[in-house]
Amino acid sequence: SNKSGCLQEFFSPVNVAYLEGESSTNLDLHYLPFNMGKRYCAVIFINEQIGEFVYLMEGTCGLPLPSALLPMDSPNFLCISSILEGQSEPQPVLCLKCCLTDILREKLKIPLTNEAREKALAIAAQLQMSALEYERRKVTGTLESSSVRAAIAALGLSTVEKDVLHNLPTYSEQYIEYRVEISMPDYFEIPCKIYIPVLTSARVNAKHLENGNYCLATEAEDAAVELPIKFIPQCPGRYPCQILLQSKYDIRTYNIECVVNTDTVEAELEFVTPAYQPVFQDIPITNMSQQDWKLKACLKGCSFYGPPLIYVAPGETTIYTLMFKPTTECITKGKLILQNEANGTDHVFTLTGIATKPLALDHVLIDCPVRQITQKVIMVPNFTRNELRYKVSSDLLIVTGDPTLTVEPGDTAAYTLNISPWKRGKIQGVISFVAEDGEQQQCRPNLLEKTYGTQELQTVNAANTGQNLPCSEVWFALEINSIAAPPEKTLDVECAVLDTTVIEIPISNPTNDILTLDVLLDIPELSGEKSLLLQPKETVCYEVKYSPACVGSSKGSVIFVSEKTGEFWYALRLKAEKPLPITLPEVECELGKWVRQYILLVNPTYESLELKVVNSNSAHYSLETDSPNFLIVAPCSTTEVPVQFCPSALGRACHTAKISFMCPQLQEWIFFLSGVGLIPKPQEPASVSACLGYHSSIIITFRNPTFEDVSVDVILTDQEHVTHPPSDSVLHHSINKESVFWLPLKQTQEVYLAPKGKLDIPVLFAPQSMKLYEAVLVINVEKMLDDNWSLEDPIELNKQLSSSTVISESGEIKALRWIYPIHGIPEAPPHKSAPAVICCQARSRVEERVEVLLTGVVPAGRGSQIFRDPATPSNSMSVTIQNKVQVTEGFLTADEFLYDIEFESERVKSQLKSAVAINLVEKEWDSKTGIVTLVFNTVFAPNKPMRNPATLLVQCITGGIWKFPLLLVATEPEVDDVINIEAAGLNKESVISFRLTSKTRYPEPYTAYFLPGSDPEFDVSPQAGELLPLGSAGTLITIGFKPNMYGKKHRATLVIQTAGMQWMYLINGLPPQTTPPTASAKVVCRNTYEKSITVQQRNFVRENMKLLSTGVSSTIKGAPLILRAK
């Protein structure tokens, strides 16, 4: 209860609280403060049984909620919003707008009455009324009357204030003074005090008070005073400010917010589109606030379109669609301003619209015959709001029509085209309609370039006339399909495939001028001159060559075109038959051998020919292809097919064949082959070698070339018995048993051999001395049942009867002989001594002398005279002749020895063949011992480290082979270069690169690696690849260095190796270079304070003499130092 007569702030709706046993209840209290600060209230609970107990309540009063300012009539006024940015509860906010470069000066309208305080006074009065009083005033409608509010407000006044209030007419002050405070004094300027009138008479006129403070009263109906405000923005954004008005009777708060828009644009949009074609751009607008946005669009610029208003809900994104649709070729500037009416912000976008040359409005297809006029109507629109007079032009000479066309605004007009083609085919072009004023009409060409040459012409004309915008233009794309007229004549032509026939067409010039005709041939099988020149009244025959590539019927055309006469043509009905058979030249081959012949297959077509092969005589002819029955010939190519001919009889009997190639394109392609079987001649010599004291063998394989049973006699003899025609006395002559050659066959006479059968004949060779041995293996072949060998040509028969390979009787060939010369080459026993070592550093060169001893050599001047075949005994040996060879007594020539180096494998040979060279520089023969000494100069220049054994082979021309072991050793080379890499930092990789090429003209594969012992901080890439050839830029090799500690010397050896070359690089990893600082230290660590008192040194000896007992640190603590006498 309020019995003190003060303004009550704590209220309780009930006076009695009831509690059940062992229960609790809630008591609601109302706190309605009118002054800032803390207030206390004691709640006393009284009961006769338990007595009294008290609760003390503390209430704290803060600033009141913001009140609403009155609306303003000002261009800077935006709205009075109910939500302040960043707050959840609705509060009245007065929003103003301002530019960044302006200073805002406005007068806020402050209400005379604090509506919030008046409402609080009414609530406080109602809470203190009795129930009867509350109902009475509720019925009469005086619950919130001024008398009620005044009575409650008087409770809060002191006695002096109450006396002043009762004597108010005599009181000199008619205004209440308010102190003014703002939350953003750096941006807002406002008077520190304001006086608000309390009497009606004081609200009529304005009155100036001291200290520059204003109290401006407007008309009575406004019930407000004006508060001047000045706002100076510093940067774009929102500036919320709270205004606090405080007096001893009242306290108020007001919220204002100034929105400062920037002068810069948020985005620059560029639109590029052909004229009359719209292009759209979606602009997203996101509302991150808690209130609805209404954005008004202000669009400036020609040909830009967009909605005038958009709404954006809180937390959502709305798309503003902007369209640019130009009606002419131009460049347009514009601006889009989206004004947010909710918060006053502006979103500015600059717009640039580029309208390029318009696209074709339509693609018009027109079919018309040659040498006739065809009409086509097209509809031409006018997209502007003015009447346009179009000037018509086209780039096609065959198109004609009216030169101008007038079209009403927003309408279309029909335009008629006249097309009169003079040749067949598809013709493409354009027809353009350009609108120009009378002064702007210029002499425009009737032909428009098919490129955009028209656009360049319009730009120049606009610049010359000072016109800013180009003229309106529309155009259409024309595609004219010109249909040929009936032919002058139809010709029938037949020709074989892969052959050529000539077609003659008579052409006359009926005019009196020289006539030039262009000739067009529509299929690739036809060929001829591209043009034809006719004199006046002249008639010539035009020749067309027909070369078919596929079997079948087709149609062709020979078209003659002239601008004077137009087009006329001849139709051809073509028929291609299968190709004519081809007969190849006759080939000759000895019986028992085979020869190769080539069939040339030409494919002139643009598709592959899949040929099926049919061979009529596969016994004597065979194709050397992957598949004997199938062959593919690539398009526009020529393929040579090798064919083997192996005769089975003498002469031409059964030696003809027909080989056919069949495919759908050619049907059947036939080749005829023929051959002649000849009497065999002596064969090439065969060589066999063996060491002294040992034997070796060679196998001579003989195959029966015929399809008949034959009887074979095998004879091993010398050359003397085969140089003349054989007779019965020497037919079976054989080498004696003491010879170095012999046959280990059990049966050598009358050996049966089936058709195409094979007989392997071994010949053993056991040399006795180091000389060349020669023998002849003769195979005598007779037909079974005493049949003779037949030969159709009697002249050829008479010539062959005297041959050493023919045994004749009574002018008939009784038997044939196959003669195989055999050369026996002895080899010296292998040397058991250590090999000669030739050592050299890789990528260096060394020359060393190698001396070998040959035992058992038979000099050429003292050897027996033997028959020799002119062929070289060993094709693998290289003959080396030196002009400076020292020849001693006993030798007649300087080329009696052949020598070469033999390697382990072909792979080693390919690597060392170019690195090793040997040359005979000296030879000497000891007449007493018969030992020959050879001195070789060996050059060894390896490219990479290696260790490979080899063998030096020496062969004497009189016979004998000696082998001497060699050992080629290439040591590690010196490093090619030293590469220093400076580190970029710990765990940071620094790289260095260089290029390397191979030593040949071809790319070579390589591998790159580090030798063992190299630091792992280095890496190389790529580790494998291909070195580019010599003379090119080279392959890029990259070395990386990534250290993980300082103070360690990092080294590595990089090796790059190919099949025949090796490079070596020494890599050093260097720490990063640091430069010591040159500036002096900024922190002074030296103590600049010096004591003025001199330091006195202590005399510890004197102090110790004055001690009477030992100290604490002594082992005997407290013992006297001076002994006293008893």
Side-chain angles (χ1 to χ4, degrees), residues 377-382 388 390 405-408 410-416 433 476:
V377 178
I378 59 177
M379 303 304 294
V380 182
N382 180 5
L388 295 181
Y390 288 114
L405 177 65
T406 302
V407 185
E408 297 296 329
D411 198 1
T412 59
Y415 184 82
T416 303
F433 299 84
F476 297 83

Side-chain angles (χ1 to χ4, degrees), residues 467-747:
Q467 185 182 2
N468 295 327
L469 295 178
C471 304
S472 297
E473 177 184 0
V474 294
W475 61 283
F476 297 83
L478 303 179
E479 183 176 349
I480 301 173
N481 184 19
S482 181
I483 304 172
E488 302 290 332
K489 190 177 182 181
T490 301
L491 304 178
D492 296 327
V493 182
E494 295 182 359
C495 181
V497 175
L498 305 180
D499 201 356
T500 301
T501 186
V502 179
I503 307 169
E504 295 184 352
I505 301 176
I507 304 297
S508 301
N509 180 12
T511 66
N512 296 324
D513 299 327
I514 297 177
L515 182 62
T516 301
L517 298 176
D518 295 330
V519 185
L520 303 177
L521 307 174
D522 59 347
I523 58 175
E525 289 82 0
L526 299 177
S527 60
E529 296 293 335
K530 300 298 181 182
S531 62
L532 184 63
L533 182 65
L534 296 176
Q535 299 296 328
K537 306 299 182 179
E538 183 184 8
T539 300
V540 297
C541 285
Y542 180 77
E543 294 184 351
V544 181
K545 296 181 180 179
Y546 174 49
S547 302
C550 300
V551 175
S553 300
S554 61
K555 294 182 179 180
S557 302
V558 182
I559 307 168
F560 300 91
V561 181
S562 174
E563 295 184 3
K564 296 181 179 180
T565 61
E567 174 190 297
F568 62 95
W569 62 289
Y570 290 82
L572 303 178
R573 287 196 292 262
L574 306 174
K575 183 179 180 181
E577 301 176 346
K578 63 180 181 180
L580 299 176
I582 300 175
T583 302
L584 298 182
E586 187 179 65
V587 295
E588 297 179 348
C589 181
E590 298 178 12
L591 202 62
K593 293 185 178 181
W594 59 270
V595 294
R596 182 180 288 112
Q597 192 176 14
Y598 292 94
I599 297 177
L600 200 64
L601 300 179
V602 181
N603 180 13
T605 66
Y606 292 93
E607 56 181 335
S608 298
L609 297 180
E610 298 180 358
L611 304 176
K612 181 181 179 182
V613 184
V614 179
N615 188 359
S616 64
N617 190 355
S618 59
H620 298 91
Y621 295 90
S622 61
L623 275 70
E624 298 179 0
T625 57
D626 297 335
S627 176
N629 299 324
F630 189 75
L631 184 64
I632 296 179
V633 183
C636 301
S637 64
T638 301
T639 302
E640 291 183 346
V641 181
V643 181
Q644 287 187 7
F645 167 59
C646 183
S648 62
L650 297 178
R652 297 176 175 83
C654 303
H655 291 160
T656 59
K658 173 186 175 182
I659 298 180
S660 302
F661 299 93
M662 307 180 71
C663 68
Q665 294 89 340
L666 307 178
Q667 291 186 356
E668 186 178 15
W669 199 355
I670 300 175
F671 292 86
F672 292 106
L673 292 83
S674 60
V676 178
L678 303 180
I679 294 176
K681 296 180 181 178
Q683 309 297 314
E684 294 293 332
S687 299
V688 60
S689 61
C691 294
L692 293 178
Y694 299 90
H695 72 273
S696 63
S697 63
I698 184 174
I699 296 179
I700 305 297
T701 300
F702 174 75
R703 186 183 298 273
N704 181 12
T706 68
F707 291 97
E708 302 178 13
D709 297 333
V710 295
S711 176
V712 177
D713 296 337
V714 182
I715 304 170
L716 188 62
T717 181
D718 53 21
Q719 190 69 26
E720 295 178 355
H721 296 85
V722 296
T723 53
H724 303 289
S727 60
D728 293 338
S729 60
V730 299
L731 183 62
H732 297 89
H733 175 77
S734 176
I735 297 178
N736 53 29
K737 295 183 180 180
E738 289 75 14
S739 175
V740 295
F741 294 98
W742 72 92
L743 295 173
L745 293 176
K746 294 181 180 180
Q747 181 182 357

Side-chain angles (χ1 to χ4, degrees), residues 923-987:
K923 57 185 176 181
E924 182 179 356
W925 176 60
D926 192 344
S927 59
K928 297 181 180 181
T929 60
I931 298 176
V932 177
T933 302
L934 302 180
V935 179
F936 294 92
N937 182 40
T938 306
V939 179
F940 185 38
N943 290 326
K944 64 178 183 178
M946 63 184 68
R947 185 183 181 91
N948 291 310
T951 303
L952 173 62
L953 273 70
V954 181
Q955 180 179 355
C956 183
I957 61 174
T958 59
I961 296 178
W962 291 264
K963 297 182 179 180
F964 302 94
L966 299 176
L967 182 60
L968 304 176
V969 179
T971 60
E972 293 288 340
E974 297 181 357
V975 295
D976 294 86
D977 197 2
V978 177
I979 301 176
N980 297 324
I981 305 178
E982 183 178 340
L986 288 181
N987 298 319

Side-chain angles (χ1 to χ4, degrees), residues 219-240:
E219 296 180 359
E221 58 270 14
D222 290 341
V225 295
E226 293 182 349
L227 177 64
I229 185 174
K230 179 181 178 182
F231 171 64
I232 304 175
Q234 295 183 2
C235 59
R238 305 171 67 89
Y239 294 81

Side-chain angles (χ1 to χ4, degrees), residues 5 153-166 248-249:
L155 295 176
L157 300 178
S158 62
T159 303
V160 177
E161 292 174 342
K162 290 180 180 180
D163 294 340
V164 171
L165 182 61
H166 290 297
K248 57 184 178 179
Y249 307 111

